[in-house]
Amino acid sequence: MVRKVTEQDAAAIAGIYNYYVEKTILTFETEAVSTEEMRQRIAAIASDYPYYIYEMNGRVAGYCYASQWKKRSAYRWVVESAVYVDPGLRNKGIGRSLMTQLIEALRKTDIHAVIACISIPNPESIRLHESLGFEKVSHFREVGWKLDIRIDVSDWELLL
């Protein structure tokens, strides 16, 4: 079931996110995030943008949110999306359910575009975003360095 985030979800979200921080190239953060830091991030984002949890059997199985894309005023109608699923529960439709809810919520606002910044390679995320109508609009080569490899990044855009 998809529901709105609460601050009580911070520990579970940090647990999911820290797997990706420590073991993958899917986020460019390199240090684990504490529960308190995640609580502060949730509060800052959820006060202005949609933020959802996928709950399965009483536990957080994934989450997604929209956030400010860039700080300049002319970008105020554009958001960046993020979606993370418990690594043991991927490919079960959780990410799709979350992103569908997020997009539906954003369509009810003045937001005009959603940007997904995807570390490459990430075929699962590309398939998900393309299936939701996102189109690739940029590709930056070797802009990240993590886990001893150079990482490309592509931006995918959905116009609402």
Side-chain angles (χ1 to χ4, degrees):
M1 135 179 131
V2 177
R3 64 169 173 79
K4 288 188 176 182
V5 72
T6 70
E7 289 186 22
Q8 288 72 36
D9 297 314
I13 290 171
I16 291 169
Y17 185 63
N18 286 335
Y19 167 84
Y20 291 98
V21 169
E22 296 169 347
K23 308 260 189 232
T24 78
I25 63 164
L26 304 186
T27 176
F28 278 15
E29 284 198 73
T30 58
E31 300 293 324
V33 177
S34 71
T35 297
E36 183 53 36
E37 170 66 19
M38 189 58 74
R39 186 174 287 112
Q40 291 172 15
R41 291 182 186 190
I42 290 167
I45 293 168
S47 65
D48 295 321
Y49 300 99
Y51 198 134
Y52 295 103
I53 296 298
Y54 190 100
E55 194 172 70
M56 180 185 288
N57 300 322
R59 70 183 261 259
V60 175
Y63 66 97
C64 77
Y65 59 87
S67 60
Q68 182 179 29
W69 185 55
K70 293 194 181 268
K71 293 185 187 244
R72 303 268 191 248
S73 180
Y75 290 119
R76 69 188 173 278
W77 312 118
V78 181
V79 295
E80 182 174 355
S81 64
V83 59
Y84 291 92
V85 175
D86 182 306
L89 298 172
R90 290 170 40 182
N91 298 311
K92 298 187 183 307
I94 294 168
R96 173 176 302 288
S97 294
L98 286 163
M99 285 297 294
T100 298
Q101 180 70 34
L102 183 71
I103 292 165
E104 288 175 14
L106 291 169
R107 286 189 193 281
K108 296 174 184 171
T109 71
D110 291 333
I111 297 299
H112 178 68
V114 183
I115 306 294
C117 183
I118 302 174
S119 303
I120 305 298
N122 189 346
E124 292 171 341
S125 188
I126 291 170
R127 273 193 309 273
L128 170 64
H129 286 85
E130 285 182 340
S131 74
L132 294 169
F134 284 75
E135 295 179 4
K136 185 177 180 179
V137 293
S138 72
H139 189 99
F140 301 97
R141 296 179 51 221
E142 299 181 359
V143 294
W145 175 260
K146 185 176 175 184
L147 302 177
D148 294 326
I149 60 171
R150 296 208 183 275
I151 306 157
D152 291 5
V153 172
S154 289
D155 287 329
W156 299 76
E157 178 185 51
L158 175 66
L159 295 179
L160 302 175

